[in-house]
């Protein structure tokens, strides 16, 4: 892959901080990056690419981040040879611990077990549903890109919001209502309080 192609891929990442992009562009020019993919040996996600989003809220796990191979907490520098592109979630997972053969093998085993489990399909379907919502929000659908929204429209209908408020008034908990209506606790709280996309319901 040519440097121009790599630069174009970086520019297409809508949900990456500009300063991270600038450093990655420099690393490409210096020949430190030959492929734009997560270079963490024990990547915890199902793909090593940094998925560009056309709009809406990007999924932070896939965001492009920069990892210090020798952690700064251990005296690592900011020099180009100590930096590599990595998923934001992989960066958090690694923390400031130095990589050893034992820890890398343990993480690889955990990743393989997860990808082979029944949870993988559920997780992937959830990611596809979220991506569909972000893309619709980017196309200008009503109230897209806000918390409590799916596919560009509120996750709960006005009827469901009224039912939820009545049940909350009768003593139901936010957690139980969120589970009953298949939404997050934050969305249930916004619906009951009349905030965000539910302010006029």
């Amino acid at each position: 892959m040519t440097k121009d192609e790599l630069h174009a891929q970086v520019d297409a990442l809508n949900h990456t901080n500009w300063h991270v992009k600038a450093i990655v562009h420099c690393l490409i020019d210096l020949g430190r990056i030959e492929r734009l993919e997560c270079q963490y040996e024990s990547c915890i996600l199902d793909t090593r690419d940094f998925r560009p989003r056309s709009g809406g809220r990007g999924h932070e796990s896939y965001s492009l981040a920069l990892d210090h191979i020798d952690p700064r907490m251990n005296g690592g520098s900011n020099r180009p040879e100590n930096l590599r592109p990595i998923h934001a979630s992989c960066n958090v997972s690694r923390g400031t611990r130095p990589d050893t053969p034992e820890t890398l093998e343990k993480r690889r085993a955990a990743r393989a077990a997860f990808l082979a489990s029944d949870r993988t399909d559920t997780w992937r379907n959830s990611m596809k549903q979220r991506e569909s919502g972000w893309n619709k929000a980017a196309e200008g659908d009503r109230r897209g890109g806000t918390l409590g929204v799916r596919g560009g429209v509120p996750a709960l209908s006005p009827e469901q919001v009224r039912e939820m408020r009545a049940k909350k008034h009768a003593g139901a908990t936010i957690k139980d209502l969120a589970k009953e209506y298949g939404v997050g606790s934050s969305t249930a709280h916004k619906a009951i309080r009349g905030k965000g996309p539910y302010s006029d319901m």
Side-chain angles (χ1 to χ4, degrees), residues 11-182:
D11 290 335
L13 299 176
N14 297 335
H15 297 280
T16 301
N17 292 331
W18 67 269
H19 62 276
V20 173
K21 282 187 176 183
I23 296 173
V24 172
H25 281 306
C26 292
L27 294 176
I28 291 172
D29 288 332
L30 292 171
R32 296 288 304 169
I33 298 177
E34 297 180 355
R35 297 185 308 277
L36 190 63
E37 61 181 29
C38 181
Q39 294 183 9
Y40 184 43
E41 298 86 346
S42 186
C43 178
I44 62 174
L45 298 180
D46 63 334
T47 178
R48 287 187 177 270
D49 68 336
F50 306 99
R51 300 181 179 182
R53 305 294 184 186
S54 58
R57 286 171 35 190
H59 191 254
E60 292 80 2
S61 295
Y62 290 102
S63 297
L64 171 62
L66 286 170
D67 176 48
H68 291 78
I69 300 171
D70 183 14
R72 294 182 65 189
M73 290 279 290
N74 299 336
S77 71
N78 285 320
R79 296 184 61 82
E81 57 268 21
N82 195 44
L83 298 174
R84 60 180 174 180
I86 190 174
H87 288 129
S89 55
C90 293
N91 200 15
V92 173
S93 175
R94 184 196 174 196
T96 59
R97 299 180 299 275
D99 291 331
T100 64
E102 293 78 14
T103 58
L104 287 174
E105 185 59 32
K106 184 177 180 180
R107 290 172 187 162
R108 289 193 188 102
R111 178 177 185 269
F114 171 75
L115 294 178
S117 69
D118 295 336
R119 295 180 296 159
T120 308
D121 290 337
T122 302
W123 179 73
R124 284 179 177 150
N125 290 336
S126 174
M127 291 299 99
K128 288 179 181 178
Q129 188 177 44
R130 291 184 183 185
E131 183 171 359
S132 175
W134 296 325
N135 290 336
K136 288 182 179 179
E139 293 167 4
D141 284 2
R142 182 169 67 97
R143 295 177 182 170
T146 58
L147 193 61
V149 168
R150 288 179 182 166
V153 297
L156 296 167
S157 68
E159 292 76 15
Q160 289 176 315
V161 172
R162 286 193 289 270
E163 291 176 4
M164 184 178 287
R165 289 171 180 168
K167 291 179 180 179
K168 181 66 173 69
H169 185 70
T173 64
I174 294 286
K175 184 177 180 180
D176 290 339
L177 291 172
K179 184 176 181 180
E180 179 181 349
Y181 287 89

